[in-house]
Amino acid sequence: MKHVIAAFLLTVLSVQYVSAETLKVKLVDAKGQPLVNAALLIDSQKDKFNENNEAIVDQVDKQFTPTVSAVKRGTDVVFPNSDNIRHHVYSFSEAKNFELKLYSDKEQPSVNFDKEGIVTLGCNIHDQMIAYVLVSNDYDVVVTDEQGLAELNLSEGESLEEVRVWHYWMGDDLSQAQNITLAANGEELTGQVRVSAPQQEEKEPSRLEQRFNRKGNQ
């Protein structure tokens, strides 16, 4: 039996797919670049999921993987460490405040995510390690890949012209998600999200760097 996500659909639809099984949606940012790790928020069919499932957020090459994941309220999230160094995972988020102190690849601690919201993950040892867990019983979530693509399963005759999207550049609150209009583009639907990468703040040179540059070295 094909998986049906009827809640994707609006009452009035302009784009029709008579016999589509898998629909590709491509999202781009405000500058037209593929929007990676964007979360498409689909109204959840509450009788179609099992609560308290287990999810995994691994640590590989000093990065969390996946960067963006989604779970239902009450899910146990396991944090294995696939690196050969120790990590110190934490979150100060209102939806889940926790700390997993330094641990190695021989341990697989878990945390129960019992409150809805967005949980931002970090590592006290490696500042570049950041990830996000969406905890919600209201939405099913599909995350875009490195090309900004997401695949949705529709039943025969169903269609889609708008979707709600959240990206971490918007902030850590799902209320900041945007309703995005989709347009047919060949075999894909495309949509532009009104968000762009934050500008990197210029780091002030250290005293040693300043001294180095005063000597005429670049």
Side-chain angles (χ1 to χ4, degrees), residues 146-162:
E146 295 296 323
Q147 287 75 47
L149 287 170
E151 291 190 351
L152 310 179
N153 294 326
L154 298 182
S155 63
E156 186 173 320
E158 293 181 332
S159 55
L160 181 66
E161 73 167 8
E162 188 176 80

Side-chain angles (χ1 to χ4, degrees), residues 27 37 51 81 88 94 104 124 137 150 166 192:
L27 297 179
N37 289 317
E51 292 191 48
N81 178 1
H88 185 151
E94 181 179 350
S104 68
N124 263 333
N137 280 11
W166 174 85
Q192 188 167 40

